[in-house]
Amino acid sequence: MERLQKVIAHAGFASRRKAEELILEGKVKVNGKIVKELGVKVTPNDKVEVNGIPVEREEPVYFLFYKPRGVISSVSDDKNRKVVTDYFSGIEQRIYPIGRLDYDTSGLLLLTNDGEFANMLMHPSNEIEKVYVVKTKGMPAKEKLRSLERGIRLEDGKTAPATVKLLSFDKRKNSAIIEISIHEGRNRQVRRMFEAIGHPVIKLKRERYGFLTLQGLKAGEIRELTAHEVKQLRVLAQNKK
Ligand code: URA
């Protein structure tokens, strides 16, 4: 189920706000009946019309993208920097990223045009496990890594329990490679967690999202998710509730 204004915006008829205006003005019909309230939700089977013109619902598509560093997790940028959808020039559907990776973070990012699916995966109660490989400045003491596992106080609250594994330490460069697995998706969370223990992140890569990995892809490459993978992600998110 998706909000009516979102379906209209999604189909390219108008911005979300303009879509709300169209609804309030009585220009939108669902299954032949004018709908003037904003809270209404519709299923893919409902027939939506704007000014008598049927709203074409796009075929849902789902992609796994190996985001390189130096790319914005967005569909446009006012400073003209590279955005993730620049890598999808042959795709006609209006896709957008599910969540985001920082400009300087590389790794696994999902994109879709299916708003319901995106919302389900991003909903705080469904947060799917994400595994990051972090290069830190200096070598965090064992106790500091344990504090990340237990949960650490950040300015927006204590983090949920995580799993942390030290993979290697380069004495000469004074940096460590650490794997961290989290279920939350707060803004710059991994960077802030390591900052909080006094070992800022030098490099960050998302290696895994639930059961999905970057296997077979190079930075900048894309593959479509299989129908089975999409289904598995739905099951994974729903079981988290
Ligand atoms: N945590 C971060 O700090 N940055 C990301 O891009 C993803 C998770």
Side-chain angles (χ1 to χ4, degrees):
M1 296 269 270
E2 273 197 321
R3 280 178 185 273
L4 189 51
Q5 56 265 45
K6 196 164 173 194
V7 169
I8 296 165
H10 211 185
F13 266 80
S15 68
R16 193 86 63 89
R17 226 184 55 209
K18 186 81 180 68
E20 289 178 359
E21 281 172 28
L22 289 167
I23 295 169
L24 293 172
E25 287 164 9
K27 294 187 173 152
V28 177
K29 282 185 187 168
V30 177
N31 302 323
K33 276 198 195 130
I34 291 178
V35 171
K36 278 187 158 185
E37 307 94 65
L38 293 179
V40 172
K41 290 188 170 178
V42 290
T43 69
N45 294 329
D46 288 318
K47 201 172 144 239
V48 180
E49 290 167 72
V50 177
N51 285 328
I53 302 165
V55 170
E56 297 296 338
R57 314 285 282 274
E58 274 181 357
E59 174 86 0
V61 285
Y62 308 88
F63 295 100
L64 190 161
F65 176 47
Y66 184 162
K67 177 187 147 349
R69 295 168 73 191
V71 181
I72 310 236
S73 294
S74 175
V75 297
S76 66
D77 180 53
D78 49 13
K79 293 189 195 120
N80 242 349
R81 288 169 296 183
K82 212 169 205 180
V83 295
V84 287
T85 44
D86 289 344
Y87 289 81
F88 291 79
S89 52
I91 307 293
E92 50 189 54
Q93 287 91 348
R94 277 172 291 268
I95 55 167
Y96 45 84
I98 302 180
R100 55 190 297 280
L101 291 176
D102 299 333
Y103 182 73
D104 279 329
T105 303
S106 65
L108 197 160
L109 186 66
L110 299 179
L111 292 97
T112 185
N113 60 346
D114 181 339
E116 188 193 1
F117 181 76
N119 286 337
M120 184 177 67
L121 293 192
M122 287 190 294
H123 195 277
S125 65
N126 298 342
E127 283 279 6
I128 286 177
E129 184 190 20
K130 282 149 285 211
V131 178
Y132 296 88
V133 174
V134 188
K135 184 177 181 184
T136 59
K137 188 160 175 233
M139 167 71 193
K142 235 186 198 163
E143 187 42 43
K144 286 189 174 177
L145 296 180
R146 291 293 83 81
S147 72
L148 293 182
E149 289 200 308
R150 284 193 299 267
I152 193 156
R153 208 159 290 288
L154 300 178
E155 59 192 27
D156 51 356
K158 194 175 171 190
T159 59
T163 311
V164 178
K165 215 191 304 175
L166 173 68
L167 299 182
S168 65
F169 174 55
D170 187 328
K171 211 170 174 184
R172 201 171 49 81
K173 290 189 182 149
N174 190 31
S175 65
I177 305 289
I178 294 161
E179 187 185 89
I180 180 164
S181 155
I182 60 172
H183 284 84
E184 296 169 292
R186 301 193 214 168
N187 196 22
R188 296 178 68 81
Q189 179 165 347
V190 175
R191 290 177 196 274
R192 290 192 290 132
M193 287 171 81
F194 280 91
E195 255 157 43
I197 59 162
H199 293 277
V201 167
I202 299 172
K203 234 176 173 180
L204 182 59
K205 179 180 177 191
R206 179 148 81 192
E207 292 260 346
R208 189 154 70 73
Y209 185 96
F211 55 88
L212 295 169
T213 69
L214 291 166
Q215 201 191 353
L217 293 182
K218 297 193 194 84
E221 288 186 342
I222 296 156
R223 75 167 174 89
E224 222 172 318
L225 293 182
T226 65
H228 183 63
E229 286 170 332
V230 174
K231 204 162 152 191
Q232 274 183 294
L233 283 171
R234 284 188 199 280
V235 170
L236 199 58
Q238 272 150 12
N239 287 343
K240 289 262 155 63
K241 278 192 182 146

